[in-house]
Amino acid sequence: MVGLSSPFGGSDTDLFDGYDEFVPEHIPEPGAFLDGHRVLTNDEHVTFHELTRELFEERTVYDMTFNYNLARLNLDTRHESAGFRYAEDADDPAVLWAEFTPTTAFCPQSHTLNIGSFRAWNGLTDRHDYDLVRVRLSEMHHQSSTINERLEELEEEFLDTGAVAPPSADTSNRPDDAFGADQSPL
């Protein structure tokens, strides 16, 4: 992974928690999407997040603003309320719920990052213990409704077919980013 230099001195390791650490103050609070489900904490969170890093690396789910694997956002101490939180379904432990909170309410990559995350987790279900990973964007994002509708459609397609839709399928119903330019599908 690409390292970052700090304008304040020090190495990039000073800016990030370790993948083997659970630091609640450096990750978002569980949002409304996770209400009523068993939120992963401590070792459970760490274990799934380490796997997430591997899957995102394999599927190149990268945040282009920061030029790193999206899983690293959970560890970035400069963005303490951004990243993923996970919860097991209250009724079905074979279903994981993942809620992504971006760094800003106008993050122009939110559509692409969430679709890429959905594809990585559900396209590689043989690599984890879940039959389905439901992904949603935090309600704080200005296009969360539209993006979450597309994630629901992808989830329904996955449940119907058992396969993740190809990237070209995401060009319809795609919202424009905050600057009015189309986002590239993953």
Side-chain angles (χ1 to χ4, degrees), residues 23 29 36 38 40 55 60 69 72 89 105 120 125 134 139:
V23 185
E29 289 292 321
R38 190 177 68 77
L40 302 186
L55 301 180
T60 60
N69 179 317
R72 199 166 194 208
D89 189 280
T125 55
R134 293 192 156 137
E139 294 175 350

Side-chain angles (χ1 to χ4, degrees), residues 6-184:
S6 170
F8 308 109
S11 69
D12 70 355
T13 57
D14 298 334
L15 301 174
F16 297 93
D17 297 321
Y19 277 99
D20 60 344
E21 296 179 275
F22 179 74
V23 185
E25 335 35 269
H26 295 168
I27 56 177
E29 289 292 321
F33 181 63
L34 303 182
D35 282 349
H37 301 287
R38 190 177 68 77
V39 175
L40 302 186
T41 60
N42 300 314
D43 289 344
E44 288 183 309
H45 175 92
V46 167
T47 299
F48 190 77
H49 200 67
E50 286 177 331
L51 174 68
T52 294
R53 174 182 64 166
E54 293 171 24
L55 301 180
F56 285 8
E57 192 67 30
E58 185 172 324
R59 293 293 175 105
T60 60
V61 182
Y62 267 67
D63 185 315
M64 292 300 109
T65 301
F66 304 116
N67 195 30
Y68 58 60
N69 179 317
L70 182 59
R72 199 166 194 208
L73 181 58
N74 273 51
L75 313 175
D76 193 330
T77 61
R78 298 166 296 177
H79 304 288
E80 296 178 344
S81 60
F84 280 101
R85 288 305 301 265
Y86 313 109
E88 281 190 356
D89 189 280
D91 299 319
D92 185 355
V95 176
L96 186 78
W97 299 61
E99 183 177 50
F100 178 68
T101 303
T103 57
T104 69
F106 297 96
C107 173
Q109 297 182 73
S110 289
H111 176 270
T112 304
L113 294 172
N114 280 274
I115 299 291
S117 299
F118 178 88
R119 279 203 192 102
W121 284 315
N122 291 297
L124 299 168
T125 55
D126 61 322
R127 304 268 294 278
H128 54 76
D129 296 330
Y130 300 102
D131 297 333
L132 170 67
V133 178
R134 293 192 156 137
V135 180
R136 296 297 185 275
L137 176 60
S138 170
E139 294 175 350
M140 61 80 84
H141 191 273
H142 78 291
Q143 290 183 326
S144 63
S145 295
T146 304
I147 294 168
N148 286 336
E149 284 175 17
R150 181 61 186 136
L151 288 163
E152 288 175 35
E153 291 170 8
L154 287 172
E155 186 179 302
E156 289 172 21
E157 291 170 20
F158 176 71
L159 291 171
D160 288 344
T161 66
V164 175
S168 61
D170 291 321
T171 57
S172 62
N173 298 328
R174 188 178 67 218
D176 291 337
D177 69 16
F179 305 104
D182 283 343
Q183 299 177 38
S184 299

